[in-house]
Amino acid sequence: MASTSTKTKYVVLGLLIGILVAAMDNTIVATAMPTIVSELNGFDQYAWVTSAYMIATVAGMPIFGKLSDMYGRKRFFLFGMLLFITGSILCGIADSITELSIYRAVQGLGGGALMPIAFTIIFDIFPPEKRGKVSGLFGAVFGISSIFGPLLGAVLTDAINWRWVFYINIPLGLIALALVSLFYKESPIHRTQKIDYAGAATLVAGLVTFLLGLELGGKEYAWSSPQILGLFGASLALFILFGLIERRAADPVITFSLFSRRLFAATQGVAFFYGFVFISASVFIPIFVQGVFGGSATNSGLILMPMLIASVVSAQLGGRLPNKYGFRNVMMVSAVFFVLGVYLLSTMSLETTRTAVTIYMIILGFGVGFSFSLLNLAGINGIEMKRRGAATSMGSTFRTIGMTLGVTILGIVQSRTFTSSISEQLPSGNAPAGGQFPTASAFAKMPPEVATAIKTALADSISSVYMWALIPAILGVIFVFFMGNERPILKEEQGERPKTKQA
């Protein structure tokens, strides 16, 4: 029979795979979307393929986090993986953008269980002195998934078919399912709670109406139109209703009592703004590389690899250094590189070299990588076991909400800036038809002055994204200041940590 140590390694491997597939599905469709839209004829709805996944994940995280506190981590991790695999199969057989968006929501619900519960299991099965190292490993996997997703999506789309972007989750998911099912034996402390379904429903509805208003405003309807004002008004009303529900709920989606802890509250702010900004690198840098430098989807995905390596290195440091230097001091190092990287990306233009872009991305990746591991450690630091599931899920929720809003808002900035610049520089007959992104072959057929004008507009629109992204990046730094001087608690309260059977 395998030793306890060996079995623990199998559990960790299963959890790592679960986090990999769930987090990677935030970005894996990015480089496959042009092919998907071309085949399924849904260009006007393509943004919802990404948003549906993220919004469903936001809805699932707090609910599954609470359920895992009540009834145990294992059963809901396995349920989440089964739901995720089912959603992946459905996405692979989708015949329309509407179907694909619905099936992505199924995937997202499963992903909403996998990520927070996996991190919580780690805190259950490892003593405090080992959590930093393991959390750094998990943070590195999260960083890998964020950057590797677009590259893998491009390779699968070019080499096989876009549907394999989803089918690849099936064998990986089954491996994770088997490892956790066979080797994780838990005996956690449970407590009875009431699931705040009304709070979850109003939170998701508020997000959806807000994102719809941003997506349709200034494009389908004027910003001052009754439709857009109605959407924003409904969103505001839903968020107010959400706050009222949370104040009275026995076990709310957002456990406001946790925010009385300074470190926890500041950590959620950092997670939100870091997520808001970092998702833009995975989405817009490949577009810059493909549009300005030229090349295939696979080549544009490869540009993300230096950022991947840098974020993996700093994720490991983020898991280990807080024991010696404290959470805030380490995150201040992160903040310097993070803001510098965003600023450098905001200076990109048609004259920027590929080498320069690579250096900028290494700086940004190194800065953001600390957050993948350190924020999970900080958010749960000193919180009793019975509330760890809720605390961990809230950290993941705030980061995912930030990513959802970031990819939508910054996407609108890029799209509107590009369209405005094109309309100023080119006659309508020379502009890309229907707002479509011109390929390398399309550029080759254009008059040189037209191709240069389009590339200039594209470069300027993406640099404007990062100029605007400096605002949330700086807000993230402000929250870092509020983290205080706490260090990881390396000794559990007496009787706090249960004995976890692994043999």
Side-chain angles (χ1 to χ4, degrees):
M1 181 176 290
S3 67
T4 299
S5 176
T6 300
K7 288 195 173 187
T8 301
K9 291 178 181 178
Y10 289 148
V11 174
V12 171
L13 178 59
L15 297 176
L16 287 172
I17 295 173
I19 288 180
L20 176 67
V21 296
M24 191 165 60
D25 254 62
N26 281 325
T27 57
I28 193 171
V29 300
T31 47
M33 278 309 300
T35 304
I36 294 174
V37 169
S38 176
E39 183 172 325
L40 300 183
N41 298 317
F43 181 74
D44 57 335
Q45 304 172 42
Y46 82 95
W48 288 99
V49 175
T50 299
S51 296
Y53 182 87
M54 290 185 174
I55 291 171
T57 301
V58 168
M61 281 179 177
I63 292 175
F64 287 118
K66 297 258 185 185
L67 288 171
S68 74
D69 282 342
M70 293 169 63
Y71 303 112
R73 324 290 189 205
K74 181 175 181 177
R75 66 182 65 184
F76 286 102
F77 181 88
L78 298 180
F79 174 76
M81 182 57 75
L82 287 172
L83 196 60
F84 185 83
I85 293 172
T86 301
S88 298
I89 294 172
L90 291 172
C91 287
I93 62 176
D95 291 324
S96 70
I97 287 291
T98 300
E99 284 186 9
L100 182 59
S101 298
I102 293 172
Y103 299 152
R104 286 280 285 165
V106 175
Q107 264 192 316
L109 282 174
L114 296 178
M115 288 188 280
I117 294 177
F119 278 109
T120 308
I121 289 174
I122 287 302
F123 282 90
D124 288 348
I125 66 178
F126 284 99
E129 64 272 13
K130 293 185 178 179
R131 291 175 189 162
K133 180 178 180 179
V134 180
S135 184
L137 182 61
F138 273 60
V141 170
F142 190 88
I144 290 171
S145 68
S146 298
I147 311 302
F148 189 58
L151 176 60
L152 180 59
V155 171
L156 291 173
T157 300
D158 289 344
I160 310 176
N161 184 280
W162 67 264
R163 297 179 187 274
W164 276 93
V165 167
F166 304 106
Y167 291 150
I168 191 65
N169 294 325
I170 300 171
L172 293 175
L174 290 175
I175 293 172
L177 196 71
L179 289 173
V180 176
S181 177
L182 292 174
F183 298 107
Y184 179 44
K185 310 295 182 184
E186 65 175 340
S187 55
I189 298 172
H190 299 154
R191 70 184 182 111
T192 301
Q193 304 181 69
K194 293 181 180 179
I195 303 301
D196 182 19
Y197 294 109
T202 51
L203 173 61
V204 172
L207 281 172
V208 170
T209 51
F210 180 69
L211 293 175
L212 271 174
L214 290 175
E215 180 67 26
L216 300 177
K219 185 167 62 175
E220 300 294 332
Y221 304 98
W223 288 109
S224 59
S225 68
Q227 292 88 344
I228 300 303
L229 293 178
L231 284 170
F232 286 140
S235 177
L236 178 61
L238 286 164
F239 285 134
I240 292 173
L241 179 60
F242 170 72
L244 294 174
I245 291 172
E246 297 305 274
R247 290 182 63 183
R248 300 180 180 180
D251 289 291
V253 171
I254 303 297
T255 308
F256 287 110
S257 62
L258 289 173
F259 285 85
S260 63
R261 297 181 57 83
R262 176 177 175 177
L263 179 59
F264 179 85
T267 297
Q268 308 317 302
V270 177
F272 176 86
F273 289 113
Y274 267 55
F276 191 107
V277 174
F278 186 58
I279 187 66
S280 64
S282 297
V283 174
F284 297 112
I285 292 301
I287 294 176
F288 183 92
V289 172
Q290 190 173 353
V292 176
F293 297 147
S296 66
T298 301
N299 289 333
S300 67
L302 284 171
I303 193 68
L304 297 172
M305 294 305 291
M307 186 165 67
L308 157 65
I309 296 171
S311 66
V312 169
V313 171
S314 59
Q316 290 292 314
L317 294 175
R320 300 184 183 193
L321 293 180
N323 287 347
K324 184 174 183 180
Y325 299 105
F327 294 115
R328 184 174 65 181
N329 291 337
V330 177
M331 279 306 297
M332 286 307 303
V333 175
S334 163
V336 170
F337 285 93
F338 183 58
V339 174
L340 177 60
V342 175
Y343 168 74
L344 290 172
L345 288 172
S346 74
T347 66
M348 293 190 302
S349 67
L350 196 61
E351 289 73 35
T352 304
T353 65
R354 192 183 185 103
T355 300
V357 173
T358 300
I359 293 173
Y360 300 164
M361 293 180 66
I362 290 173
I363 293 172
L364 177 63
F366 186 78
V368 81
F370 288 94
S371 70
F372 293 145
S373 52
L374 186 148
L375 295 184
N376 289 305
L377 286 169
I380 209 169
N381 193 55
I383 292 177
E384 62 271 24
M385 177 170 286
K386 63 184 180 181
R387 296 204 295 174
R388 284 179 186 166
T392 307
S393 67
M394 264 195 282
S396 300
T397 298
F398 273 86
R399 185 189 292 272
T400 304
I401 291 175
M403 292 171 66
T404 305
L405 293 176
V407 74
T408 303
I409 294 173
L410 296 178
I412 291 171
V413 169
Q414 190 276 326
S415 176
R416 306 292 164 83
T417 306
F418 178 64
T419 301
S420 176
S421 180
I422 285 292
S423 64
E424 291 176 2
Q425 297 186 52
L426 294 174
S428 58
N430 288 327
Q436 294 179 345
F437 180 72
T439 61
S441 59
F443 275 129
K445 298 175 182 177
M446 296 177 185
E449 63 276 11
V450 173
T452 299
I454 294 174
K455 289 182 178 182
T456 300
L458 181 63
D460 291 345
S461 69
I462 294 177
S463 65
S464 70
V465 164
Y466 294 104
M467 183 61 70
W468 282 101
L470 278 171
I471 297 174
I474 292 171
L475 289 173
V477 175
I478 292 173
F479 275 95
V480 169
F481 277 105
F482 288 121
M483 291 179 71
N485 297 316
E486 286 191 40
R487 297 189 180 190
I489 295 175
L490 299 180
K491 185 176 182 181
E492 299 278 10
E493 296 178 13
Q494 184 127 10
E496 168 73 20
R497 184 170 176 263
K499 294 179 181 179
T500 303
K501 299 177 181 178
Q502 295 295 335

